[in-house]
Amino acid sequence: INRNLKEYLKTAKEEVIMISAYFFPSRKFRKMLYAMSDRGVKITVICGEASDVKIMKYATAHHYETLIKRGIKVLEWTPSVL
């Protein structure tokens, strides 16, 4: 799945919306997202505000500031755990 996802993302031309309960991207994956954003692809990442794994909230939020500065929209799903 990971290889297929990367290939799909590399070919995106306009917009990508990702939803993930546990969004903790590797450095390589973040660089790929930044490159996509730099070439004009609108990227939205939707993460869960609540998590059944408490540390994930903080691990995910650790990347928010940089993602946002690089033009990636970050939203938190609040109605329930993803």
Side-chain angles (χ1 to χ4, degrees):
I1 294 175
N2 196 22
R3 188 177 328 143
N4 290 338
L5 176 61
K6 286 180 183 177
E7 288 305 313
Y8 168 77
L9 292 174
K10 286 180 183 178
T11 62
K13 292 180 179 24
E14 294 181 27
E15 182 175 22
V16 171
I17 300 172
M18 293 183 284
I19 301 173
S20 178
Y22 306 107
F23 184 73
F24 193 72
S26 67
R27 178 181 293 178
K28 189 174 183 178
F29 190 78
R30 289 191 315 269
K31 285 183 176 185
M32 185 176 64
L33 292 178
Y34 303 153
M36 292 169 55
S37 180
D38 290 346
R39 72 172 198 263
V41 177
K42 179 181 171 187
I43 303 171
T44 302
V45 177
I46 303 171
C47 305
E49 179 187 45
S51 176
D52 57 339
V53 179
K54 297 292 182 195
I55 191 96
M56 281 309 298
K57 164 101 174 119
Y58 303 104
T60 299
H62 172 76
H63 294 294
Y64 285 2
E65 184 176 349
T66 305
L67 291 168
I68 292 167
K69 282 181 180 178
R70 295 299 299 260
I72 298 167
K73 188 174 186 177
V74 179
L75 304 173
E76 288 189 339
W77 176 261
T78 58
S80 62
V81 174
L82 285 174

